Amino acid sequence: MKLILASQSPRRKELLGYYTNDFQVRVSQADETLPEGIDPGEAVALLAQRKAQAVAALPECKGCRIIGADTVVAVEGHILGKPHSPEEAREMLELLSGRVHSVYTGVAVLGPGEREVFTQRTQVEFYPLSAREIDDYVATGEPMDKAGAYGIQGRGGLLVRRLEGDYFNVMGLPVARLARVLKMLEQGEKAGG
């Protein structure tokens, strides 16, 4: 069965490549608005499913196995998405400075007769950050397309004191857990004919 990643994220593409190079990428045009006050874990599961469903509806994707994923950063249950401006990036980094926050990634795998959805959570603690450190990091431009205004796999990794959980989850795809889900589905596919 053809495997499709419903994401434009180069990081997700790279991470799925650790499991297999035999997949295609289709960008999802799914609605990413969320109900007010939704739990972060529920939010990422909902968005991952929407992304996968939007790509599954494309004529060329009928009969394919689709992976959708979404990642958010949350502090005390408050979701931080991608910043819309350098000022918003600074505010997010000030909020994360010296604190522990959660990174949630929801993953949905949809195929003919298949629906596997899971959420992974990783706890991340930042060092206390000076205004200069924040300004210097924002000036790199790296925070602008990242949930919570940082990328752990880039210069944002210099802000992290410690983490508990899956590092790749913070990058946007808990690939070890996803690999187990895909293996289970592939074995079921072989057993079923």
Side-chain angles (χ1 to χ4, degrees), residues 10-162:
R11 290 163 297 283
R12 288 194 183 111
K13 183 179 177 185
E14 175 190 346
L15 291 174
L16 185 55
Y18 294 168
Y19 176 69
T20 181
N21 287 315
D22 189 16
F23 67 94
Q24 296 177 1
V25 173
R26 293 281 184 279
V27 178
S28 172
Q29 303 299 328
D31 173 20
E32 294 193 36
T33 57
L34 290 168
E36 196 67 35
I38 188 170
D39 172 81
E42 291 173 19
V44 292
L46 175 67
L47 292 176
Q49 289 176 81
R50 280 187 194 164
K51 289 177 179 181
Q53 288 165 342
V55 170
L58 298 173
E60 67 270 21
C61 298
K62 295 287 185 216
C64 297
R65 183 173 286 138
I66 316 291
I67 300 167
D70 195 78
T71 303
V72 298
V73 170
V75 179
E76 296 174 1
H78 177 71
I79 295 173
L80 304 181
K82 296 176 184 176
H84 296 103
S85 66
E87 293 72 32
E88 192 176 3
R90 271 187 207 90
E91 289 171 14
M92 288 183 185
L93 293 165
E94 286 168 3
L95 182 63
L96 298 176
S97 175
R99 297 178 72 176
V100 175
H101 61 273
S102 298
V103 179
Y104 293 86
T105 299
V107 179
V109 183
L110 306 180
E114 301 173 346
R115 178 183 209 82
E116 295 291 331
V117 180
F118 67 88
T119 301
Q120 189 86 20
R121 176 176 169 233
T122 301
Q123 297 283 90
V124 181
E125 181 182 358
F126 267 23
Y127 283 103
L129 306 175
S130 68
R132 173 75 184 264
E133 285 175 297
I134 291 172
D135 286 343
D136 287 350
Y137 182 53
V138 171
T140 68
E142 186 178 276
M144 297 314 297
D145 69 338
K146 313 281 191 304
Y150 77 97
I152 195 166
Q153 73 284 357
R155 291 181 181 165
L158 299 174
L159 312 177
V160 176
R161 173 180 268 158
R162 67 177 185 86

